[in-house]
Amino acid sequence: MSIPKKCSRIEMVYISKDKFSLAENEAFLSQKFDLLIEKLNYLISSIIVLTKNTYVSKITKELLDLIIFYSIIDFKGLN
C-alpha cells in the first residue's frame, strides 16, 4: 500500500518591545519552543481523532531537523 507523503512547515514568531539578545534569552526561547510543540501536538491529536488517520504522529524535538534558522530584527531602526 502506497501512502502519499505530506509535509508541513510551521513558523514561530516572537515579538518583543525590548532589545533582544539570543545569548541572554536562550532558555526563554527554548521554553516557548517547547510550548509551541505542545500546542502543535494538540492540533495533531485533533486531526487524528477527526480523520481517524493512524499514520499521523505527534511531533517530538528528536523528529525535527537539527538546524533551526532564526533572525533578530530591530524595528526601531526602520522609521
Side-chain angles (χ1 to χ4, degrees):
M1 176 159 120
S2 176
I3 300 171
K5 181 180 178 181
K6 304 216 177 185
C7 297
S8 296
R9 180 173 137 177
I10 304 295
E11 292 186 22
M12 179 176 97
V13 175
Y14 176 75
I15 300 173
S16 172
K17 64 180 181 172
D18 302 318
K19 187 162 177 94
F20 198 81
S21 166
L22 184 62
E24 295 171 6
N25 295 294
E26 188 173 350
F28 173 78
L29 289 176
S30 290
Q31 290 172 346
K32 295 304 176 192
F33 187 75
D34 291 342
L35 182 63
L36 172 72
I37 291 177
E38 179 184 333
K39 299 302 181 187
L40 180 59
N41 279 326
Y42 287 145
L43 178 63
I44 292 171
S45 294
S46 299
I47 292 169
I48 292 170
V49 169
L50 287 173
T51 63
K52 297 175 179 52
N53 186 343
T54 57
Y55 296 103
V56 177
S57 60
K58 292 184 178 179
I59 302 298
T60 65
K61 285 193 252 186
E62 293 76 24
L63 292 174
L64 300 175
D65 290 335
L66 296 177
I67 298 173
I68 298 175
F69 296 100
Y70 71 91
S71 64
I72 297 174
I73 301 170
D74 183 6
F75 287 104
K76 292 178 186 174
L78 297 177
N79 290 335

